[in-house]
Amino acid sequence: MAVNASRQDEQLETMSKLKVALRLLSYLKRYRWSVVIVVLVMAISVGITLINPLIIESAIDDYLSIKDINGLLRLGVFAVIINIVFVIVVKIRMYMMSKIANKLLKEIRQELYEHIQTLSFTFFDGRPTGKVLARIIGDVNSLKRVLSSAVTNFIPGVFTIVGVVAIMLKKDWKLGLVSISTLPIMIIAFYFMNKVSHQRWQSFRKKSSNLNAYVHEDISGMSVVQSFHAEAESNIIFDGLVEEHKESFKSAVRVADLFSFIVDTSWGLGVMLLYLFGAKMVGAQIVSIGTLVAFGTYIGMFWEPVMRISQFYNQLITNITAAERIFEIMDTEPEISDAESAIEIPDIQGEVTFEHVTFAYEQGTANETLVLDDLSFRVKPGERIALVGPTGAGKTTIVNLLSRFYDIQGGIISIDGYDLKNVQLGSLRKQMGVMTQDNFVFHGTVAENIRYGKMDATMDEVIEAAKAVSAHEFIMRMENGYETQLQERGSGLSIGQRQLIAFARTMISMPRILILDEATSSIDTKTEVLVQKGIEALLKGRTSFVIAHRLSTIQNADRIFVIGEGGIMEQGTSKELLAKKGFYYDLYMAQFTNL
C-alpha cells in the first residue's frame, strides 16, 4: 500500500479476482461441518422447489383432465406439507449461514487487527489513521453479504439450475434448449461488463477511504480548526470529498444495475421463445398442456437462480475490492520481526552499545534522508544520558532504534552484549519504558490507564506507582478517585495531569531502560517541581535516555550527547560542555540569558 495523504487515492497492487475470491471463500473451511449441514438443508429446499412444477403438471394432466377431485386433494395436501417443510428449512439455512458469516467477519477483522499490530513504524509513517480504520471496519463489514450469499444464493442457485436443466431436457429436450437459448447472450454481456464494474467499485472504495481519513483527521484536529477559524475551508474540502464519493458510487451503480437488466431481458426473451414454440407444439399435440405449464414454471425456476447468481456475482465484483484491500495489508510483511533464531533476552542490566550505526529514512527512494552516519557510543548500566541538538538531528531516531522500531542499515546496536536483531522483540520491549510529551490516555478508569503498564498489577501497586510520581494527590481529588472514568485522549485533564498518569504507568512497569522524549516539556514549572522527585525515583538505578530542549531538566545527567551532522558533535557533563564553549554552550546561554 503506497504512502499517501488523506485526500489522495491509494495505489493498490493488481490482484487476480479469482484468487481473491477463492481466498475469501476459503475461510468457510473453518466451519466446514456447519456448511455441510447448511448444504444438506439447502438440498432439501432445492429438491422441493424442483418437485413443485411436477406436482402442477400432474394436477393438470392426471387429475383435472379426468376430474379426479379426491386425487387432486391428496396431491394438494402433499404439496402443502412439503412446502411447509420448505419454509422451515429455508429459515434454518438463513439463520445458520448468517451466524457463520458473522463469526467469519469477526475472525477476519481480528486477524487483520492482529497483523496490523505487528507492522513496523514505516507502515504507519505517512498513512492517515482513517484509511487504516476504513479497512478494519468498512471493508470487513462489506464482506458479510458475499460470504453469506456464497452459500445461500450461489450454491443453491447452481444446484437449482442444474436440476431444472436436467428435468427440462429429460422431459422435452427441444423445449429445454429453447428455454435456455438466451443464456449465452447474458454470459457474453457479463464478460464485457466485468472489468468496467470492478474498476468503478475500486474507485468507490478509494473515495470512501479518502472521506473516512479526512473526517478522522479533521475531528482529531478540531481544536486547530476552530483556533484558526478554518471551519469554512474544512467544509469546502469535506463537501468536495463527499461529492467525489457520491459520483464514484453513482458511476459504479450504473454499471451494476445493468446486470439485473441483462438477466431480465434474457429471461423475458426465453419465456417468449418457450411459449412461441410451445404453442405450436401443443397445437401439433407433441406436448400436453400440463407439460407446457410445467415448463413455464421451470423456466422461471431457471432464471430466478440465474438472477440470484448474477446478484451474487455483482456483490462479488462490488466487494472484491474490499477483500483486495484487506488481503493487501495481511500480505504486508512486517519490516521488523523476530529472526528464526531469535532468543529471549534475560533480565537486562542496561549496558547499551552503538557500533558504527548508519540509518536513513525511506532508504532507496527519492526521499531518502540520512540521519545517522557511523554513530558509535557506549552507555554503562544505570547511566543517565541526555540527548540535545537541533530539530531533526536524530535524537528521537536514536531512541527509536534502541527500541527497534526501525532497523539500521549498517552497524550493530546491542544491550548487555545482545545484538538487538538476534533477540525477541517482546522480551526486549517489555523491559523498556518509553514516555513522550503526548502520552496517550485511553478511555477507561484512571486505575486501568496506570495498570496498562502492568496488566496484572494490584490496586496497591497502582497507588504506589501514582504516589511515586506525585499523581496520587490530584487523582484522589477527582470525583471517583482511581475509578474515575477518563475519556479518549484524557479529555478533561490538564496536560500536566495526563503526563503524571503516564509517568505512573511507566513506573508500574519497572523498566530496566527508560526513555524520556520531551516528557516534561508540556508540564508547567510548578508541576515540574512537584514531579521531579518522582522522576528521580523513576530514573534511579536505570539506564536512561532523556531528550530535552529545556536544559534545566538535564543538569544532573551523567553525560550529555549533542547530536548533529549524523552523529555526536559533543559529549560530557553540563559543566564540561560549558567549558568547551561549543554548540551546547551557545544553546545554554541562549536559554538562560533570556530568563
Side-chain angles (χ1 to χ4, degrees):
M1 184 171 71
V3 177
N4 54 77
S6 60
R7 285 173 275 169
Q8 179 184 353
D9 287 351
E10 297 166 288
Q11 299 300 315
L12 301 176
E13 295 182 7
T14 303
M15 296 183 180
S16 166
K17 292 188 285 294
L18 178 60
K19 289 183 178 179
V20 173
L22 292 176
R23 182 174 176 180
L24 180 61
L25 296 178
S26 69
Y27 281 88
L28 291 171
K29 292 180 181 178
R30 304 178 185 183
Y31 298 92
R32 59 175 61 89
W33 295 116
S34 296
V35 172
V36 167
I37 294 174
V38 171
V39 171
L40 291 175
V41 170
M42 177 190 63
I44 296 173
S45 65
V46 171
I48 294 173
T49 302
L50 295 174
I51 290 173
N52 278 330
L54 298 177
I55 294 175
I56 296 174
E57 179 186 26
S58 179
I60 295 173
D61 291 344
D62 298 336
Y63 296 101
L64 286 177
S65 61
I66 61 174
K67 298 182 180 180
D68 183 356
I69 303 302
N70 291 331
L72 186 63
L73 288 175
R74 289 194 299 271
L75 188 63
V77 171
F78 173 72
V80 169
I81 292 174
I82 64 172
N83 279 280
I84 290 174
V85 173
F86 173 81
V87 171
I88 294 173
V89 295
V90 167
K91 293 292 184 182
I92 293 173
R93 184 188 73 189
M94 292 176 63
Y95 170 78
M96 290 187 66
M97 200 56 228
S98 178
K99 189 175 181 180
I100 292 171
N102 285 327
K103 286 183 177 180
L104 282 179
L105 286 188
K106 181 181 178 182
E107 290 185 9
I108 292 173
R109 181 175 286 118
Q110 185 69 29
E111 184 179 335
L112 176 62
Y113 181 72
E114 289 178 0
H115 182 72
I116 285 174
Q117 291 189 98
T118 70
L119 297 177
S120 314
F121 275 21
T122 51
F123 175 84
F124 301 98
D125 291 343
R127 286 181 171 89
T129 303
K131 292 197 175 184
V132 180
L133 288 175
R135 302 200 186 200
I136 299 174
I137 306 299
D139 289 342
V140 173
N141 283 343
S142 66
L143 300 180
K144 181 177 181 179
R145 292 180 66 184
V146 176
L147 291 169
S148 181
S149 295
V151 175
T152 57
N153 286 337
F154 179 73
I155 297 177
V158 170
F159 285 177
T160 301
I161 289 171
V162 171
V164 167
V165 170
I167 292 174
M168 286 196 300
L169 293 178
K170 187 176 187 311
K171 292 189 73 64
D172 192 299
W173 66 271
K174 292 180 181 179
L175 278 181
L177 290 178
V178 168
S179 300
I180 62 175
S181 60
T182 56
L183 185 61
I185 299 175
M186 185 199 74
I187 294 174
I188 293 171
F190 275 19
Y191 175 79
F192 286 106
M193 290 172 56
N194 171 53
K195 188 173 182 179
V196 175
S197 181
H198 180 67
Q199 289 174 340
R200 295 192 180 186
W201 282 114
Q202 270 191 333
S203 176
F204 170 69
R205 291 287 172 194
K206 292 175 183 178
K207 300 305 180 184
S208 297
S209 184
N210 292 348
L211 181 60
N212 190 80
Y214 181 75
V215 170
H216 181 275
E217 183 181 84
D218 198 55
I219 292 175
S220 298
M222 188 57 66
S223 59
V224 177
V225 174
Q226 294 181 351
S227 296
F228 287 90
H229 193 52
E231 293 90 345
E233 289 81 357
S234 294
N235 288 340
I236 292 172
I237 295 172
F238 178 77
D239 184 61
L241 291 173
V242 170
E243 184 66 21
E244 290 180 0
H245 182 262
K246 181 189 74 175
E247 290 302 320
S248 66
F249 179 74
K250 287 168 62 178
S251 176
V253 167
R254 287 191 191 103
V255 178
D257 286 347
L258 288 176
F259 284 90
S260 296
F261 172 76
I262 291 171
V263 174
D264 287 337
T265 302
S266 301
W267 187 344
L269 288 174
V271 172
M272 182 183 70
L273 292 173
L274 169 68
Y275 286 115
L276 179 64
F277 284 91
K280 293 181 178 180
M281 295 173 73
V282 168
Q285 297 182 344
I286 298 175
V287 297
S288 67
I289 295 176
T291 299
L292 184 60
V293 172
F295 263 79
T297 305
Y298 274 126
I299 196 171
M301 290 176 60
F302 173 81
W303 283 105
E304 196 273 333
V306 169
M307 174 67 81
R308 290 205 310 267
I309 290 175
S310 72
Q311 290 172 347
F312 168 74
Y313 181 74
N314 199 3
Q315 288 175 358
L316 191 62
I317 295 299
T318 302
N319 297 302
I320 201 72
T321 54
E324 286 177 335
R325 288 157 55 85
I326 292 168
F327 292 145
E328 185 186 34
I329 291 185
M330 286 186 178
D331 292 340
T332 300
E333 294 292 334
E335 293 186 19
I336 311 296
S337 59
D338 291 337
E340 290 185 7
S341 58
I343 62 171
E344 183 173 349
I345 191 171
D347 292 344
I348 60 179
Q349 298 302 310
E351 181 184 59
V352 176
T353 305
F354 276 52
E355 299 180 53
H356 307 290
V357 171
T358 299
F359 176 77
Y361 289 105
E362 299 188 55
Q363 186 186 32
T365 70
N367 297 321
E368 180 174 333
T369 305
L370 182 65
V371 181
L372 303 177
D373 185 15
D374 197 30
L375 172 65
S376 297
F377 63 81
R378 177 178 175 274
V379 176
K380 294 180 291 186
E383 192 173 6
R384 187 181 307 181
I385 302 297
L387 303 176
V388 300
T391 300
K395 304 182 296 296
T396 299
T397 298
I398 289 174
V399 295
N400 281 340
L401 293 177
L402 183 59
S403 301
R404 207 185 163 204
F405 292 137
Y406 301 92
D407 267 343
I408 56 179
Q409 284 89 48
I412 297 175
I413 301 176
S414 60
I415 295 178
D416 291 356
Y418 292 92
D419 186 337
L420 296 191
K421 289 187 177 181
N422 297 328
V423 301
Q424 296 174 3
L425 289 172
S427 66
L428 168 68
R429 291 175 181 169
K430 73 179 182 181
Q431 299 190 65
M432 303 185 70
V434 181
M435 299 176 58
T436 68
Q437 59 181 317
D438 186 27
N439 280 285
F440 197 89
V441 174
F442 297 93
H443 181 87
T445 67
V446 174
E448 288 170 344
N449 268 274
I450 296 175
R451 193 176 281 120
Y452 198 81
K454 183 184 177 185
M455 293 300 187
D456 59 349
T458 65
M459 196 62 206
D460 288 339
E461 289 177 305
V462 170
I463 295 173
E464 183 181 351
K467 286 181 176 179
V469 296
S470 303
H472 178 72
E473 185 176 342
F474 94 81
I475 292 173
M476 293 308 296
R477 289 199 300 268
M478 299 175 76
E479 182 179 3
N480 296 310
Y482 285 88
E483 296 305 314
T484 301
Q485 287 285 335
L486 302 178
Q487 301 302 314
E488 183 181 343
R489 295 188 179 274
S491 176
L493 296 177
S494 69
I495 294 176
Q497 288 172 332
R498 292 201 298 268
Q499 290 294 84
L500 290 174
I501 289 176
F503 283 149
R505 181 193 299 159
T506 302
M507 172 64 82
I508 204 171
S509 69
M510 299 301 288
R512 298 304 306 157
I513 295 179
L514 184 64
I515 295 170
L516 304 181
D517 189 353
E518 294 290 345
T520 60
S521 63
S522 299
I523 299 178
D524 57 79
T525 305
K526 182 178 178 181
T527 305
E528 182 183 346
V529 172
L530 178 66
V531 80
Q532 200 62 46
K533 290 183 179 179
I535 294 177
E536 287 297 322
L538 192 60
L539 296 176
K540 187 176 180 180
R542 295 181 174 87
T543 303
S544 56
F545 291 82
V546 181
I547 299 175
H549 285 110
R550 191 186 297 175
L551 300 185
S552 61
T553 63
I554 60 171
Q555 296 306 298
N556 294 328
D558 296 313
R559 277 189 292 168
I560 299 173
F561 291 171
V562 180
I563 308 299
E565 299 178 0
I568 300 175
M569 296 192 300
E570 300 174 1
Q571 66 172 295
T573 63
S574 179
K575 185 176 181 180
E576 290 169 347
L577 293 178
L578 287 174
K580 290 181 180 180
K581 294 190 176 181
F583 184 91
Y584 179 81
Y585 174 84
D586 294 338
L587 187 62
Y588 184 92
M589 295 305 293
Q591 284 194 18
F592 286 94
T593 54
N594 291 326
L595 294 178

